[in-house]
Amino acid sequence: MDTLVFHTIAHNTPEYVAAVALRHAILRQPLGLAFSAQQLAAEADSQHIGAYLEQALVACLVLKPINPRQVQMRQVAVDVQLQGKGIGRRLVTHAEMVARQIGYQEMHLHARESAVIFYQRLGYATHGEPFTEIGIPHCLMIKGL
């Protein structure tokens, strides 16, 4: 596989629009959901990270501040044609490094039930009972950075 390159994506740029389109295709459209203007505007305070192969966006995620110690990793999406090739793992590892550099000490995420094992393999632990978010089961998962 070619070299995977990570870039920070600024909010409301063409790169951001491409990341939103990828997130929509992978995470929202299969559930019959769309992003609202308010949801996208609320991401202005977040860190957006993209993974690129040959300058094409293939994966992305969002880091949303919770407080000075904790950050939430959200909206992890990998191009469906490239899932299972380690891109998601490398993107999450990169995001953890970025979060540590910013000064966060703990990463939180709401994992879809189907992704819990993926995150457990990366050192995340489930906390509390499963809950429903966007109409499907999720688990709170946390990892110290």
Side-chain angles (χ1 to χ4, degrees):
M1 183 177 284
D2 294 309
T3 304
L4 194 61
V5 178
F6 301 101
H7 291 291
T8 298
I9 298 171
H11 192 256
N12 279 344
T13 61
E15 294 80 12
Y16 175 77
V17 172
V20 170
L22 178 62
R23 290 163 40 203
H24 173 75
I26 302 299
L27 302 172
R28 295 290 173 123
Q29 191 172 10
L31 300 175
L33 301 173
F35 291 106
S36 70
Q38 294 87 352
Q39 287 171 322
L40 297 178
E43 294 183 346
D45 69 342
S46 299
Q47 183 93 15
H48 302 268
I49 301 172
Y52 294 82
L53 277 177
E54 297 179 8
Q55 285 131 21
L57 179 69
V58 297
C60 58
L61 61 73
V62 178
L63 295 177
K64 174 93 173 158
I66 298 172
N67 59 49
R69 282 192 69 253
Q70 301 168 322
V71 64
Q72 181 181 8
M73 182 167 40
R74 307 179 56 251
Q75 296 284 296
V76 179
V78 178
D79 184 303
V80 72
Q81 305 287 343
L82 298 170
Q83 291 177 6
K85 300 185 182 305
I87 292 171
R89 175 185 47 78
R90 291 172 60 195
L91 177 61
V92 168
T93 300
H94 177 78
E96 291 170 353
M97 180 197 71
V98 168
R100 271 192 304 275
Q101 288 174 344
I102 293 170
Y104 293 111
Q105 298 166 21
E106 199 171 76
M107 184 81 81
H108 290 224
L109 60 92
H110 295 175
R112 292 179 180 198
E113 202 172 55
S114 59
V116 168
I117 291 171
F118 168 79
Y119 289 111
Q120 285 175 331
R121 288 183 181 142
L122 293 173
Y124 289 81
T126 58
H127 290 264
E129 295 298 315
F131 57 94
T132 300
E133 189 171 76
I134 61 169
I136 58 175
H138 283 72
C139 291
L140 171 63
M141 301 189 81
I142 299 174
K143 179 179 180 179
L145 298 173

